[in-house]
Amino acid sequence: MHRPRLSNAWFLPRSFDVLGMLRQQLDIVEQCIHVLNDWGHGKIPTHDAVAELRVAAGNEHRARRTLNNAVRDSFSTPIEAEDLFELGERLGEITEAGYALVRESELSCSGPTCAAPDPYLVELIDRLAKALIPLAQGLRALPSGDAATCADHAIEELSAVEHTYRAAIADLETEPDVRRELRRRELYRRAEHLHAAMMRVARRTWYSVYKSR
């Protein structure tokens, strides 16, 4: 009796380099923060920074979808699938928050002329860029326990950002132009959103290691 021959592919588990995909997404996020930092220091005009971040946000979104699909279809993953999904989504929040910050500044431009970021905003961006370094190291170290140590360092750096944010808000009391005060306040708020997004990635990185121990 002839029996149909079944494909071996039906029985072999599929394996994807999901951590490699997460790191590729992280590369794009780092690129976004680099553009944001250059913009803060006047190295990139506002309109150009918005254009670059818009393209990067699209690339990041596609990388995130690729990661999510691979996690869904993988037979097993180096860390829990839920953690990979959450890390991918929260990395996406960093890109979106960075783009929203520069986009908000562009809305205040008068034609081709845009006001440069004030010193408080520049310091906020600098501190956030500095915090991204141990945060990225932690993500690249997954699933090693070193990832949790790096995440702790990132959380410490991010906690220091709060002091700069408070100083920036306090300085608004001396701003004589009400319209400029409102614009500054909104940009600080956008920077705080970026801070919160990075903090969520750091905490999830630490938690994903903690659960696996």
Side-chain angles (χ1 to χ4, degrees):
M1 179 179 177
H2 177 72
R3 296 181 180 179
R5 186 174 181 179
L6 301 179
S7 171
N8 289 333
W10 290 7
F11 304 100
L12 295 176
R14 303 180 70 184
S15 178
F16 298 92
D17 182 13
V18 289
L19 286 181
M21 294 176 184
L22 182 69
R23 290 164 190 149
Q24 289 175 359
Q25 184 187 359
L26 174 61
D27 289 341
I28 300 173
V29 172
E30 288 179 308
Q31 175 193 352
C32 291
I33 298 301
H34 179 72
V35 171
L36 178 64
N37 204 22
D38 280 351
W39 168 76
H41 287 275
K43 297 179 181 178
I44 301 178
T46 300
H47 297 302
D48 292 345
V50 169
E52 286 191 42
L53 289 175
R54 185 182 296 116
V55 172
N59 293 336
E60 183 279 322
H61 182 74
R62 286 187 287 273
R64 195 186 336 164
R65 284 292 182 89
T66 300
L67 171 64
N68 289 344
N69 290 335
V71 170
R72 179 196 61 194
D73 296 337
S74 289
F75 179 77
S76 63
T77 53
I79 60 176
E80 289 191 18
E82 178 187 3
D83 294 321
L84 284 164
F85 176 80
E86 286 293 331
L87 286 170
E89 290 298 305
R90 294 178 185 189
L91 275 175
E93 291 176 4
I94 294 177
T95 302
E96 292 165 1
Y99 170 73
L101 195 165
V102 182
R103 176 59 177 154
E104 182 65 30
S105 180
E106 185 186 43
L107 294 176
S108 300
C109 293
S110 177
T113 304
C114 303
D118 68 78
Y120 285 103
L121 183 60
V122 174
E123 184 176 355
L124 281 167
I125 293 171
D126 280 345
R127 287 185 175 273
L128 290 168
K130 183 180 178 182
L132 183 64
I133 296 173
L135 180 60
Q137 290 172 341
L139 288 168
R140 290 192 172 97
L142 286 171
S144 165
D146 292 340
T149 302
C150 292
D152 281 337
H153 291 161
I155 290 171
E156 290 175 5
E157 294 286 352
L158 289 167
S159 297
V161 176
E162 186 66 24
H163 300 297
T164 304
Y165 177 75
R166 289 177 178 272
I169 294 298
D171 188 68
L172 292 175
E173 295 294 329
T174 64
E175 176 59 62
D177 187 329
V178 175
R179 289 178 298 180
R180 178 170 168 77
E181 177 190 346
L182 292 174
R183 289 171 180 170
R184 287 177 59 191
R185 186 181 297 273
E186 182 60 25
L187 290 174
Y188 298 157
R189 189 174 70 88
R190 298 283 181 173
E192 178 64 12
H193 288 173
L194 177 56
H195 168 267
M198 292 175 66
M199 185 67 83
R200 283 191 287 269
V201 173
R203 287 173 174 162
R204 191 72 194 198
T205 301
W206 188 94
Y207 182 58
S208 65
V209 175
Y210 171 78
K211 284 198 303 181
S212 65
R213 295 300 180 230

